[in-house]
């Protein structure tokens, strides 16, 4: 969400750090108040309720995706106090997969 009359801008940077991919996604939006930077990752929480539409699910879904890949995501104040910086840390190697064994149904007498 950006203030009226502001052209949206997003920057994505990343680096490999000892087997982890550190990503930083910054914007020039209205920002997230310090006291709500963790809450915005909860279902249906919206930091901006006036004049901005949304369900409050987007960041909750992002967190679930990142965590299922073995990583973390947090929100910080953006550069120079403008907007928000989302900081993601993801393993370079994928997390081990869960292997399920499904038994075949027992044969029925014929």
């Amino acid at each position: 969400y950006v203030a009226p009359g502001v052209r949206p801008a997003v920057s994505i940077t990343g680096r490999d750090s000892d087997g982890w991919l550190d990503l930083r996604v910054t914007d020039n939006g209205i920002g997230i108040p310090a006291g709500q930077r963790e809450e915005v990752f909860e279902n249906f929480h919206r930091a901006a309720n006036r004049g901005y539409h949304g369900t409050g699910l987007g960041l909750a879904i992002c967190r679930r995706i990142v965590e299922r890949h073995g990583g973390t995501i947090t929100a910080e104040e953006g550069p120079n106090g403008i907007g928000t910086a989302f900081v993601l840390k993801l393993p370079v190697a994928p997390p081990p997969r869960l292997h399920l064994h499904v038994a075949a149904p027992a044969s029925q007498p014929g």
Side-chain angles (χ1 to χ4, degrees):
Y1 304 121
V2 295
V6 174
R7 185 175 180 178
V10 175
S11 170
I12 303 171
T13 59
R15 66 183 178 94
D16 186 340
S17 175
D18 295 324
W20 291 87
L21 176 61
D22 294 330
L23 291 174
R24 188 174 204 73
V25 180
T26 60
D27 66 31
N28 66 334
I30 59 172
I32 299 171
Q36 295 185 44
R37 291 189 189 135
E38 181 60 29
E39 293 173 347
V40 294
F41 293 102
E42 296 174 6
N43 289 334
F44 305 112
H45 181 84
R46 297 189 59 235
N49 289 319
R50 294 196 178 130
Y52 296 93
H53 301 284
T55 61
L57 289 173
L59 290 172
I61 292 169
C62 289
R63 176 164 275 176
R64 282 195 294 277
I65 292 169
V66 168
E67 288 177 347
R68 287 186 181 161
H69 284 84
T72 60
I73 182 173
T74 58
E76 300 175 352
E77 183 177 65
N80 303 314
I82 299 170
T84 303
F86 294 96
V87 181
L88 294 84
K89 187 172 181 105
L90 294 163
V92 173
R97 292 193 174 260
L98 176 62
H99 295 283
L100 299 176
H101 176 72
V102 178
S107 60
Q108 298 181 3

